[in-house]
């Protein structure tokens, strides 16, 4: 009998990997109920792929490379762009209700794409529509054993030095050691480390902490993408106003009604996401406010064309047909993650990573809009192919593992506020050093909880990168170095070694 694969996480990458891993048996662990707790279901824009008559995979690859600001692995971008159209056709065949008119795909234009290239579902419902189709398929798949409400606490070290499975907590709070020759991390984002995020707040970089504890390398953790137009209505997480709105012609204005993206960039509202996020941040810092004005561009069609954004606005008493939408930047996507090759292998025997928690260099310093769902599909399938080709000969023997300490809610909120203040859209040495001191204090009080370990990777890398590039902007080093070099860090390199500073120092 073939040995099972454990997959931790049930967003697009985890589910697509699980579906393609047959005939191997998959144990799919998801901390929430299927369909909840993953960013996938909240994705609005859609999936980027060269599906239009005027488009080609090499154009998609070159936009991906350009957006990534000198740190994109070209082979990864080419693989993504070439495999993209077929992945979307396969999702359509599975029942994901992409919009089409006859043979032609309805495609949206988003920032930094040279073509309209984003396949969408019912306006802004891409994530929800795709996730529903994937969930139907995994529930019908005989090879997948779904365990809802099971959280990964730690990876089990193997006697041979690799990974031998997962220490997991069931919904009743009991710990279980689940041994497996192969474990795939698909736990998504770390947006929940920030006070303002568009991701589930439970996404706190768990994969980084667990993989690093087993010796895996973390790549480019300083590169966090801030979406410029989260709807600023005091909700946690913050609902998104999709970039497709700007693709339709919606403009960004200050409290006086002045457009503020026209001067800073020739592409104005469709400038790369990091540029727009910094301009929105600066308007807010200057007290001018930032608003997305879709009154003319979308107007009366809003409820039908962008139902999720419309519902979020209405929940706060805003009618976007009549009023501009208040917006703020929010942590949205992590370009960094557990370092992998192009098949999701981490370099630690038996340990794989796919989707947002993985980093193979595809997104570089700044992810191109709507490339994330496609990343989960293309590289999830590649990992599954590899896992099924190499039927495991490895006999694992798991050693002891302890569950990670939990961070109390009050400490988590302190961490989130500090991350937004000092490792957010604009960073500098003073703030990052103060933030490291806060992490040291929290770790001294509560132990090396997963969110603290993940935050430490982001902050240490941000402190070491004395330049600005993509999503990482240092006000004390505002220019990019001539050559971009990726960051690779292990746990030993980021462990606390600084004295605990007084915040006033
Ligand atoms: C959006 O719809 O604006 C977000 C799409 C993405 O993050 O790729």
């Amino acid at each position: 009998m073939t040995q099972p694969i454990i997959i931790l996480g049930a967003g697009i990458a985890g589910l697509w990997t699980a579906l393609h891993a047959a005939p191997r048996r998959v144990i799919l662990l998801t901390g929430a109920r299927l369909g909840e707790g993953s960013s996938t279901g909240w994705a609005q824009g859609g999936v980027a792929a060269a599906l239009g008559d005027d488009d080609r995979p090499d154009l998609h690859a070159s936009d991906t490379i350009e957006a990534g600001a000198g740190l994109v692995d070209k082979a990864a971008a080419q693989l993504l762009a070439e495999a993209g159209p077929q992945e979307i056709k396969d999702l359509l065949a599975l029942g994901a209700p992409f919009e089409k008119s006859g043979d032609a795909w309805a495609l949206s234009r988003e920032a930094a794409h040279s073509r309209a290239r984003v396949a969408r579902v019912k306006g802004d419902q891409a994530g929800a529509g795709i996730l529903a189709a994937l969930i139907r398929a995994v529930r019908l798949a005989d090879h997948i054993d779904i365990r809802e409400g099971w959280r990964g606490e730690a990876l089990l070290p193997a006697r041979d030095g690799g990974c031998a499975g997962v220490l997991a907590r069931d919904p009743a709070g009991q710990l279980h050691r689940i041994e497996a020759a192969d474990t795939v991390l698909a736990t998504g984002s770390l947006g929940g480390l920030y006070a303002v995020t568009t991701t589930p707040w439970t996404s706190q970089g768990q994969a980084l902490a667990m993989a690093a504890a087993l010796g895996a390398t973390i790549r480019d953790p300083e590169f966090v993408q801030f979406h410029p137009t989260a709807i600023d209505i005091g909700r946690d997480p913050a609902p998104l106003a999709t970039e497709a709105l700007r693709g339709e012609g919606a403009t960004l204005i200050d409290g006086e009604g002045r457009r503020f993206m026209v001067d800073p960039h020739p592409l104005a509202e469709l400038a790369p996401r990091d540029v727009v996020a910094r301009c929105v941040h600066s308007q807010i810092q200057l007290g001018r406010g930032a608003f997305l004005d879709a009154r003319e561009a979308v107007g009366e069609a809003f409820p039908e064309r962008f139902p999720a954004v419309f519902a979020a606005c209405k929940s706060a008493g805003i009618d976007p047909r009549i009023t501009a939408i208040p917006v703020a930047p929010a942590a949205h996507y992590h370009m960094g993650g557990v370092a992998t090759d192009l098949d999701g292998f981490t370099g630690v025997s038996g340990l794989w990573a796919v989707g947002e928690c993985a980093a193979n260099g595809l997104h570089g310093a700044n992810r191109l809009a709507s490339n994330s769902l496609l990343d989960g599909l293309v590289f999830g399938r590649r990992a599954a192919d590899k896992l099924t080709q190499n039927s495991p000969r490895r006999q694992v023997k798991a050693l002891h593992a302890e569950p990670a300490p939990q961070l109390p809610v009050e400490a988590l909120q302190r961490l989130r506020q500090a991350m937004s203040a000092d490792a957010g859209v604009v960073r500098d040495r003073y703030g990052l050093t103060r933030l490291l001191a806060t992490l040291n204090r929290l770790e001294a009080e509560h132990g090396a909880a997963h969110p603290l370990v993940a935050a430490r990777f982001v902050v240490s890398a941000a402190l070491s990168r004395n330049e600005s590039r993509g999503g990482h902007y240092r006000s004390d080093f505002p220019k990019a170095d001539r050559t971009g070099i990726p960051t690779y860090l292990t746990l030993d390199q980021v462990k606390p070694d600084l004295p605990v500073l007084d915040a006033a120092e």
Side-chain angles (χ1 to χ4, degrees):
M1 197 168 106
T2 59
Q3 293 187 38
I5 300 168
I6 298 174
I7 299 182
L8 265 182
I12 193 166
L15 297 180
W16 203 236
T17 307
L19 283 169
H20 289 91
R24 286 187 67 183
R25 191 162 72 84
V26 170
I27 302 173
L28 180 70
L29 305 181
T30 162
R33 292 212 315 243
L34 268 190
E36 294 171 8
S38 100
S39 315
T40 297
W42 298 354
Q44 293 183 356
V47 192
L51 290 161
D53 289 342
D54 63 345
D55 206 357
R56 297 190 316 259
D58 60 301
L59 298 176
H60 183 189
S62 84
D63 288 348
T64 301
I65 293 164
E66 180 69 25
L71 286 189
V72 170
D73 179 297
K74 295 193 173 58
Q78 269 146 14
L79 279 174
L80 178 97
E82 269 154 30
Q86 189 56 47
E87 293 291 354
I88 296 186
K89 288 173 195 160
D90 288 355
L91 266 187
L92 180 75
L94 203 71
F98 286 103
E99 287 174 38
K100 289 189 79 180
S101 146
D103 281 344
W105 298 79
L107 299 171
S108 309
R109 174 102 191 257
E110 290 186 1
H113 284 275
S114 57
R115 299 284 187 280
R117 178 183 287 143
V118 180
R120 58 177 191 248
V121 174
K122 293 186 197 140
D124 59 10
Q125 311 274 303
I130 292 167
L131 197 56
L134 290 172
I135 290 172
R136 279 194 300 276
V138 294
R139 288 212 189 276
L140 289 173
D142 288 340
H143 70 286
I144 305 176
D145 165 6
I146 304 166
R147 302 198 189 168
E148 293 172 89
W150 285 59
R151 277 204 326 269
E153 291 279 346
L155 297 173
L156 299 175
R159 190 167 276 170
D160 68 4
C163 178
V166 173
L167 179 67
R169 200 177 288 281
D170 71 18
Q174 290 298 312
L175 285 170
H176 301 259
R177 289 162 57 84
I178 311 175
E179 294 192 14
D182 293 296
T183 300
V184 182
L185 296 168
T187 60
S189 182
L190 51 58
L193 299 180
Y194 286 85
V196 186
T197 179
T198 60
T199 75
W201 68 269
T202 45
S203 297
Q204 296 163 358
Q206 288 88 345
L208 273 67
M210 287 193 276
L214 229 55
T217 299
I218 305 303
R219 177 172 181 166
D220 294 336
E222 66 273 41
F223 293 109
V224 177
Q225 184 171 72
F226 296 88
H227 196 291
T229 59
I231 305 177
D232 190 12
I233 48 176
R235 254 170 58 187
D236 179 23
L240 189 67
T242 175
E243 200 158 279
L245 282 159
R246 280 174 279 137
E248 293 289 314
T251 55
L252 282 162
I253 56 173
D254 65 17
E256 308 269 295
R258 281 185 298 255
R259 278 180 77 185
F260 59 79
M261 281 310 304
V262 178
D263 287 341
H265 200 281
L267 290 172
E269 279 82 1
L270 289 179
R273 198 171 272 183
D274 58 305
V275 176
V276 184
R278 278 196 296 282
C279 290
V280 170
H281 174 80
S282 137
Q283 291 297 314
I284 294 171
Q285 296 297 306
L286 291 168
R288 295 184 184 144
F291 300 84
L292 183 66
D293 186 358
R295 289 174 290 190
E296 222 179 287
V298 184
E300 287 308 312
F302 215 120
E304 188 198 319
R305 300 270 305 283
F306 296 96
V309 181
F310 189 72
C313 290
K314 289 296 269 186
S315 75
I318 296 164
D319 186 335
R321 293 170 297 190
I322 303 172
T323 318
I325 307 166
V327 291
H332 181 63
Y333 189 85
H334 194 208
M335 275 73 76
V338 182
T340 69
D341 65 14
L342 296 177
D343 295 315
F345 181 53
T346 65
V348 173
S349 304
L351 186 62
W352 308 72
V354 293
E356 188 171 345
C357 72
N360 59 18
L362 169 66
H363 304 300
N366 184 37
R367 176 182 59 94
L368 184 66
S370 288
N371 263 356
S372 49
L373 296 179
L374 189 59
D375 170 358
L377 296 170
V378 172
F379 293 100
R381 189 197 291 257
R382 287 180 66 87
D385 286 351
K386 203 73 182 178
L387 284 159
T388 48
Q389 277 159 22
N390 298 349
S391 207
R393 278 172 226 110
R394 199 169 153 250
Q395 289 302 319
V396 289
K397 177 81 195 94
L399 302 175
H400 178 73
E402 285 288 327
Q406 296 299 307
L407 200 57
V409 174
E410 180 275 329
L412 178 65
Q413 294 306 0
R414 266 168 68 201
L415 169 69
R416 295 180 72 196
Q417 293 296 339
M419 287 290 285
S420 280
D422 289 332
V425 179
V426 176
R427 305 151 175 198
D428 65 19
R429 170 164 292 279
Y430 176 80
L432 290 165
T433 307
R434 173 173 59 190
L435 180 50
L436 259 191
T438 302
L439 294 182
N440 290 346
R441 256 189 234 107
L442 288 170
E443 194 165 323
E445 286 167 32
H446 304 288
H450 287 160
L452 295 176
V453 177
R456 191 175 285 288
F457 274 106
V458 176
V459 179
S460 305
L463 200 45
S464 302
R465 186 172 286 277
N466 291 330
E467 63 156 351
S468 291
R469 182 182 294 278
H472 168 75
Y473 184 81
R474 288 276 301 260
S475 56
D476 46 354
F477 293 97
K479 295 225 160 53
D481 285 348
R482 272 164 62 107
T483 18
I485 300 170
T487 302
Y488 293 98
L489 286 172
T490 60
L491 191 57
D492 285 343
Q493 293 168 304
V494 301
K495 277 207 171 126
D497 58 0
L498 288 174
V500 175
L501 298 177
D502 190 86
E505 278 178 23

